[in-house]
Amino acid sequence: MEKFINYTSVVIPIDRSNVDTDAIIPKQFLKSVEKSGFGDNLFDAWRYLDQGEPGQDCSNRPLNSEFVLNRKPYREGRVLLARENFGCGSSREHAVWALRDFGIRTVIAGSYADIFFNNCFKNGVLPIVLPSADIDALFDCDKDSGPFSMEIDLDRQTAVTDSGQVYRFEIDDFKKECLLEGLDDIALTLQHEGDIAAYEERRMREVPWLFQDLSR
Amino acid sequence: MTGKTLYDKLWDEHRVRESDDGTALIYIDLQLLHEVTSAQAFGGLREAARVPRRKAANLAVADHNVPTTDRRAGITDPIARLQVETLDRNCKEFGITEFAMTDPRQGIVHVVGPEQGATQPGMTIVCGDSHTATHGALGALAFGIGTSEVEHVLATQCLVARKMKNMRINLNGILPDGVVSKDMILAVIGLIGTSGGTGYAIEFAGTAVSNASMEARMTLCNMAIEAGARSGLVGVDERTITYLQDRPYTPRGEDFECAKDYWLQMVSDPDAVFDQEYDLEVSTLRPQVTWGTSPEMVVSVDDVVPDPADAPDQTRQGDWTRALDYMDLAPGTRIDAIEVDKVFIGACTNGRIEDLRAAAQVASGRKVAPNIKQALVVPGSGLVKTQAETEGLDRIFTEAGFEWREPGCSMCLAMNADRLEPGERCAATSNRNFEGRQGYGGRTHLVSPSMAAAAAIAGRFADPKQL
């Protein structure tokens, strides 16, 4: 996994709660067997005025000029701001692949759906949770004074607006380390091979029927 | 010491190790695989030269992309075909059992697991699909994961996780005639909201749950994710044991007796403490219909479309306004005055035999209304389809004007050819009414199987009892 590097970017405000993964990447794009190439179809139904199909060249498609990702300077933005329960619905990791592919490495929201939240960390994307008063303040900042940037500093666990407002966020130490170091989860787990083998041996004795053979 | 909840027990039984910060390694007993979320996981294994730790603990079936019309013609969409063929190839290469598209046992992964007895109480079960929550109806800890975690489970048979919190929802009372588990779960989501269960495992309890069939319990657990909870749970009882008897993968003879004793422990202790608890009296519950683009936007069939001016806060006022605009509905419209264009009966929520029986009962001797462009019945699995045909349900449906299809996810998410056209309105027994879920620009109303059948007959939403 690519390491998470601190950066500064324009904040893209999507003023909705319950943004679901079907909206982030519609189902027709899930037919791909690759992990990349989803960026052009991020928020496809909101971003374009026509119906998108996989494998299509998106450069000539009619854009929905009202949608934030199509407006300057937001389309260069690499931090996404949303409200409660971002990423709800389907478990599709393609939603995170689409965000990452577009270049978005940080989402700031009031809360996230559990599966989406987990998927972010597997792909070097940082999901920041802030209290709803802070989320309100950030949306107001964009509404009242126009586009603004934030500096995302994972080491210090801060997101700082270009006017100097500091938002501190919490993150699990283990997840933080994995993001900063770009660690491979599977390799980490395999370090505990001994524990896993011992667990299996005990369980095979105690509850043998749980080790079903689905190849029979 | 206070007692343990069912979730506590499942968690403790599967903890391989735990770090000081509360991060644990938990063991996974069963992984279910399908074509949409597994290709990149197998690709990852291959790149890292890893192999599945226990291939016999995995079961694969293609369901999202498969056509529901004649299978002999194969899949016409080349991209979808490649994805299904990739699953076939990966299963072959890595030695994983797959029910291929033409296998009579093929079906929606969450219908197939319990049906085959692969899903058993006391297990941890994962799948790259959020509706894995369904399997919790059998007292298993089952939850959806992303593709990276699919790969992680293939390689290590474990997942890194933190313990969730415990929630119990007590559903008490006798359900009125014509009101079913789908109505209960929609009402629950309306009550606690789509993020009400985030961070929790939800156990469903109460007399309405103990009286519910196993299939009805699966419908409840299926939509726990629509309330934000990755896992839904129901404690094991004699009904669970009876359901498990003689299924292809359940233990036999003496093994069954040993397993049974263990399974029956898969209940919350009487003195267990839950972090959050809700009660819902169901004896006055009415059939539910969603009106918006989130499952929490739900009312009774005899209600009207709500007014955003009455929304509890400003954010929701905006969400409701956008939802009504997308759904092309005006506040104050009577639900039973809303006409539909298409009807979809099926999905991992309501594609089991009892669901089809309930819909057929409404359809029997009646005709689909002339304004209905298409009414689809898609069985959850090949075995459900065969059973329904044995009972003559297919003829009831086709005589009424419904189409009788091959099993798969179909119009629940419209990855195959079954979909809504822009602007079309659908009464669906599936689980999500998100924008575009059933097709670009399509409008979805979630209902129970008998409500969907009634909508097909009346051409609009109607209480089946008043047809």
Side-chain angles (χ1 to χ4, degrees), chain A residues 1-210:
Chain A
M1 190 173 77
E2 227 178 292
K3 290 181 181 180
F4 187 95
I5 297 164
N6 298 339
Y7 69 106
T8 301
S9 156
V10 167
V11 175
I12 311 161
I14 295 196
D15 196 356
R16 299 185 184 214
S17 57
N18 298 319
V19 172
D20 58 75
T21 52
D22 273 81
I24 299 172
I25 184 80
K27 90 292 293 329
Q28 63 269 37
F29 306 107
L30 310 189
K31 293 176 191 174
S32 165
V33 293
E34 310 295 331
K35 274 191 183 183
S36 57
F38 298 101
D40 282 347
N41 302 109
L42 175 68
F43 295 114
D44 198 88
W46 293 348
R47 198 159 145 204
Y48 302 98
L49 294 170
D50 63 346
Q51 185 174 345
E53 288 304 329
Q56 183 185 19
D57 172 11
C58 292
S59 58
N60 294 319
R61 293 176 60 194
L63 296 174
N64 172 10
S65 57
E66 308 258 297
F67 186 59
V68 64
L69 277 191
N70 292 326
R71 284 159 39 210
K72 270 185 177 171
Y74 301 113
R75 62 181 177 216
E76 268 76 51
R78 297 297 177 252
V79 174
L80 193 74
L81 174 66
R83 292 193 182 270
E84 301 292 313
N85 203 25
F86 188 84
C88 62
S90 154
S91 64
R92 58 187 73 166
E93 197 161 319
H94 312 66
V96 181
W97 297 336
L99 288 166
R100 186 191 58 183
D101 221 30
F102 185 86
I104 293 171
R105 298 295 295 263
T106 305
V107 183
I108 302 177
S111 63
Y112 299 88
D114 290 334
I115 305 177
F116 175 85
F117 187 73
N118 257 342
N119 286 343
C120 284
F121 291 101
K122 312 287 178 191
N123 293 282
V125 173
L126 170 64
I128 296 178
V129 182
L130 289 181
S132 61
D134 289 349
I135 297 289
D136 285 344
L138 289 170
F139 275 110
D140 288 346
C141 178
D142 176 81
K143 253 176 246 154
D144 301 342
S145 17
F148 64 97
S149 292
M150 281 186 114
E151 185 194 356
I152 309 297
D153 188 330
L154 177 55
D155 301 281
R156 294 171 148 169
Q157 299 179 212
T158 56
V160 186
T161 65
D162 46 16
S163 57
Q165 186 70 42
V166 181
Y167 296 89
R168 215 191 124 68
F169 59 87
E170 294 303 320
I171 180 173
D172 179 311
D173 287 341
F174 175 71
K175 290 192 157 98
K176 178 178 173 179
E177 192 195 334
C178 288
L179 280 179
L180 286 172
E181 301 299 326
L183 296 178
D184 172 4
D185 264 15
I186 296 178
L188 287 177
T189 296
L190 289 174
Q191 291 174 0
H192 304 298
E193 163 62 32
D195 291 337
I196 302 172
Y199 175 89
E200 283 178 331
E201 200 204 29
R202 175 172 65 80
R203 297 283 283 176
M204 259 187 257
R205 225 171 32 236
E206 293 172 358
V207 280
W209 59 86
L210 285 184

Side-chain angles (χ1 to χ4, degrees), chain B residues 183-328:
Chain B
D183 301 304
M184 288 202 280
I185 188 63
L186 285 171
V188 164
I189 298 162
L191 175 73
I192 73 172
T194 44
S195 57
T198 305
Y200 289 91
I202 298 182
E203 180 172 338
F204 297 99
T207 51
V209 177
S210 44
N211 289 332
S213 69
M214 290 311 294
E215 302 200 344
R217 295 176 191 183
M218 289 181 215
T219 304
L220 279 179
C221 291
N222 175 273
M223 289 188 75
I225 185 68
E226 263 55 69
R230 286 175 88 175
S231 292
L233 288 164
V234 175
V236 173
D237 60 11
E238 284 301 330
R239 194 163 279 177
T240 323
I241 305 296
T242 308
Y243 177 89
L244 284 156
Q245 228 144 15
D246 299 324
R247 297 202 173 254
Y249 288 119
T250 42
R252 297 289 148 119
E254 208 177 306
D255 281 350
F256 187 85
E257 293 308 313
C258 290
K260 182 180 155 183
D261 292 340
Y262 179 74
W263 291 341
L264 285 167
Q265 296 167 32
M266 292 300 134
V267 290
S268 288
D269 293 333
D271 55 345
V273 179
F274 289 81
D275 301 290
Q276 178 79 260
E277 208 152 358
Y278 291 96
D279 296 286
L280 187 69
E281 168 58 49
V282 301
S283 48
T284 53
L285 193 66
R286 300 280 299 137
Q288 303 286 298
V289 182
T290 64
W291 54 266
T293 53
S294 165
E296 71 183 19
M297 298 173 177
V298 64
V299 292
S300 298
V301 63
D302 16 43
D303 277 338
V304 298
V305 174
D307 191 335
D310 301 329
D313 56 59
Q314 221 174 2
T315 303
R316 255 169 299 179
Q317 189 170 30
D319 292 344
W320 287 19
T321 307
R322 256 192 309 272
L324 288 184
D325 181 52
Y326 181 86
M327 296 296 288
D328 191 29

